[in-house]
Amino acid sequence: MRTERSRGNEYCSTDDGIAGQSTGRENTPAATGRADRTAIGVDLGEHNLYTACPSPMPDWKGAYAIPGDDLCARLDALRDRVAALLAGDADRETIVAHVRHRRAALLAALDDAAREICDYASAYDHPVLVTEDSHYEPDLWAWLTDPNAHRGTAWLLPTAHLRLRAVAAEYGLEAATVPVAYSSQECHGCGTIGDRRLHQTFRCTNPDCRVDTVYADYNAAKVLAQRYYPNQRCAYRPPRSLATDERAAFVAPRSDAVDR
């Protein structure tokens, strides 16, 4: 196993879904059981695009994060530019060409980041990338034109998830998903639902837990890795299951003009 490292933190007719679909590598190879795999939780976000943390790591300090601030800034700039084009006299073809060009550059950056995570994971024995079990779909045009669209949820995070799975397949890495409920609020050390009032930090409210305060993305990645193993999941479980309406809607309804 490698030495752990840390890092500081429509108009267009395209299909991110097809480009990023899993190629069937989610099943565990017959020769290696689940208990023999090294689960590497990968949390997705905007501040840190990908945060990876292996399950056997004794704490979160060796987690590996790839910042997402640059991609977020580029998405914001693209939105402003498209708004200016729509408000001006630009024709349809001009807007389509601009969005497609910028989207291609964003996808290339996502693929580079995904390869970095796969390189990190490949140093572990029998690695499996573990992400949230989400059903989100990318809708770039919603982000560019809908004032109520969320930058991350409309396109960036679902596309990052799809691209990670596609690149993992290129590497021959297994990819698996686990339930999302409370993964960003659960302490990786004791399972208590903690305090995440500050966006970038998580504080365990259990006075007997060693975790105290950690980076929220690192904690979430560790929780995802632990959830891969049925007998190693955190002990705490909420008294009721998460209601359907409590899971945030990810994307605005699609239309024929939407660029995915």
Side-chain angles (χ1 to χ4, degrees):
M1 183 178 71
R2 78 188 299 164
T3 300
E4 295 83 2
R5 50 182 176 165
S6 61
R7 175 176 175 173
N9 336 256
E10 135 190 49
Y11 285 126
C12 300
S13 177
T14 57
D15 194 339
D16 294 324
I18 292 176
Q21 283 179 349
S22 171
T23 58
R25 293 184 180 272
E26 181 150 344
N27 57 312
T28 303
T32 306
R34 179 173 291 241
D36 299 318
R37 311 290 283 170
T38 301
I40 299 174
V42 183
D43 181 65
L44 276 68
E46 294 180 80
H47 175 66
N48 286 320
L49 180 64
Y50 295 121
T51 303
C53 187
S55 58
M57 188 174 291
D59 58 37
W60 57 270
K61 295 178 182 178
Y64 189 71
I66 299 178
D69 293 339
D70 177 66
L71 278 169
C72 288
R74 291 165 67 179
L75 277 170
D76 289 343
L78 176 58
R79 190 184 203 188
D80 291 342
R81 179 56 179 160
V82 168
L85 290 172
L86 290 172
D89 57 359
D91 56 31
R92 174 190 177 97
E93 289 71 21
T94 298
I95 298 175
V96 168
H98 182 78
V99 173
R100 283 181 173 167
H101 176 71
R102 297 301 180 186
R103 175 183 169 278
L106 290 167
L107 288 177
L110 284 172
D111 282 359
D112 286 344
R115 290 188 183 96
E116 198 168 335
I117 290 296
C118 289
D119 284 336
Y120 171 81
S122 296
Y124 290 87
D125 295 332
H126 310 300
V128 51
L129 301 180
V130 184
T131 62
E132 296 176 351
D133 182 10
S134 65
H135 304 284
Y136 306 147
E137 296 185 40
D139 190 340
L140 181 57
W141 192 247
W143 161 244
L144 296 176
T145 60
D146 182 353
N148 296 317
H150 185 275
R151 177 181 56 206
T153 56
W155 189 80
L156 180 59
L157 300 186
T159 305
H161 183 257
L162 290 170
R163 296 314 307 162
L164 178 63
R165 294 175 67 82
V167 172
E170 294 175 6
Y171 273 67
L173 294 176
E174 179 189 354
T177 58
V178 295
V180 62
Y182 298 98
S183 62
S184 65
Q185 303 170 45
E186 188 176 86
C187 174
H188 74 267
C190 68
T192 298
I193 297 299
D195 186 357
R196 193 179 176 180
R197 293 181 183 178
L198 296 178
H199 180 67
Q200 295 182 28
T201 60
F202 169 88
R203 183 176 68 86
C204 181
T205 55
N206 178 3
D208 297 323
C209 182
R210 60 178 174 78
V211 171
D212 194 25
T213 300
V214 300
Y215 288 116
D217 295 343
Y218 293 4
N219 177 76
K222 179 77 170 179
V223 168
L224 293 174
Q226 291 171 331
R227 288 184 178 186
Y228 178 74
Y229 307 105
N231 62 337
Q232 292 188 27
R233 291 180 180 176
C234 296
Y236 180 91
R237 284 294 172 266
R240 61 183 178 83
S241 61
L242 196 66
T244 302
D245 58 3
E246 288 180 288
R247 300 186 68 170
F250 207 72
V251 189
R254 281 188 261 170
S255 69
D256 291 339
V258 167
D259 173 16
R260 296 181 61 207

